[in-house]
């Protein structure tokens, strides 16, 4: 089935809706800390599967990133629920970041800046050098994000980690995406909508 054009709202809902559900349940559920994260994990798993269904029905396909996130959410969320141990769901972003960094790094090493295959339509006119730089930058950023997630989950409370994911990791990603814009413009990006598509946690 051919992927249909996606409205910005639909795309954002599919990519970030499950994460928003996780944060809302964790912040609003009147439960002890561990019980809240378990409830939020269940909601996260259900919302992620729902996002995959919506993507398939509305867009005609499920993106590789959504498949990756969905599988990891189900696996690590299941372990979190079964063992009553929040460390597993906390490790999920680290795994995602490292897989992304390794994939982009492999693409660079083999002469294939893989971001071009995913985001080519979003960056009209970007040169080969620009794609290589953008791919390199995101690969390094994902490594940094993985390290930060590990530091926060290992050395701070669960509530602090949840707050960091919302008020730390997400703003850092937006700032980093914007910081790449001057480089993109210097490397052939034509005027138009700049749509940095970054993976949700």
């Amino acid at each position: 089935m051919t992927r249909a054009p996606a409205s910005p709202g639909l795309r954002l809902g599919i990519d970030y809706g499950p994460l928003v559900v996780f944060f809302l349940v964790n912040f609003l559920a009147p439960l002890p800390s561990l019980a809240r994260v378990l409830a939020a994990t269940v909601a996260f798993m259900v919302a992620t599967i729902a996002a995959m269904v919506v993507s398939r029905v509305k867009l005609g396909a499920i993106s590789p990133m959504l498949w990756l996130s969905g599988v990891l959410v189900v696996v690590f969320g299941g372990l979190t629920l079964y063992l009553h141990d929040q460390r597993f769901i906390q490790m999920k972003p680290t795994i995602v970041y490292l897989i992304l960094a390794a994939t982009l790094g492999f693409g660079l090493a083999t002469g294939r800046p893989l971001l071009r295959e995913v985001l080519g339509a979003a960056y009209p006119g970007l040169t080969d050098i620009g794609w290589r730089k953008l791919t390199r930058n995101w690969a390094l950023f994902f490594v940094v994000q993985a390290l930060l997630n590990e530091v926060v989950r290992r050395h701070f409370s669960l509530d602090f980690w949840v707050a960091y994911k919302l008020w730390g990791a997400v703003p850092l990603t937006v700032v980093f995406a914007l910081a790449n814009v001057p480089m993109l413009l210097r490397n052939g990006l034509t005027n138009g909508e700049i749509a940095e598509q970054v993976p949700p946690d």
Side-chain angles (χ1 to χ4, degrees):
M1 187 180 295
T2 303
R3 181 185 291 270
S7 67
L10 178 60
R11 186 74 263 172
L12 284 173
I14 290 172
D15 288 344
Y16 292 98
L19 195 61
V20 171
V21 169
F22 177 83
F23 288 135
L24 287 176
V25 173
N26 187 77
F27 281 124
L28 299 178
L31 298 168
S33 181
L34 179 58
R36 269 191 291 115
V37 81
L38 293 177
T41 298
V42 172
F44 193 21
M45 294 167 68
V46 172
T48 299
I49 293 171
M52 296 173 74
V53 172
V54 170
S55 181
R56 179 64 181 174
V57 171
K58 295 293 187 180
L59 306 182
I62 300 173
S63 69
M65 173 49 56
L66 188 53
W67 271 115
L68 172 63
S69 182
V71 169
L72 291 178
V73 165
V74 170
V75 171
F76 284 89
L79 288 171
T80 297
L81 296 174
Y82 182 73
L83 299 174
H84 281 219
D85 190 337
Q86 75 272 8
R87 288 178 298 175
F88 291 101
I89 200 64
Q90 289 179 287
M91 288 169 58
K92 179 257 179 183
T94 300
I95 303 300
V96 170
Y97 289 137
L98 292 179
I99 289 175
L100 289 172
T103 301
L104 295 180
F106 176 78
L108 283 176
T110 56
R112 297 175 57 209
L114 298 177
L115 279 183
R116 179 162 49 195
E117 299 178 15
V118 179
L119 303 178
Y123 299 104
L126 190 62
T127 64
D128 288 343
I129 292 176
W131 280 114
R132 286 196 295 273
K133 288 181 177 180
L134 184 64
T135 302
R136 175 204 63 197
N137 291 353
W138 278 108
L140 294 174
F141 179 73
F142 289 140
V143 171
V144 171
Q145 285 280 63
L147 292 174
L148 287 175
N149 188 68
E150 285 301 294
V151 169
V152 174
R153 81 169 186 88
R154 289 170 183 266
H155 299 288
F156 296 90
S157 69
L158 176 61
D159 288 339
F160 185 91
W161 176 81
V162 173
Y164 162 75
K165 294 303 298 175
L166 180 60
W167 305 112
V170 173
L172 277 175
T173 302
V174 173
V175 169
F176 181 79
L178 294 175
N180 277 280
V181 172
M183 180 278 292
L184 296 172
L185 294 173
R186 289 194 302 270
N187 285 277
L189 184 67
T190 57
N191 291 331
E193 182 179 358
I194 297 174
E196 291 283 357
Q197 298 183 25
V198 297
D201 293 340

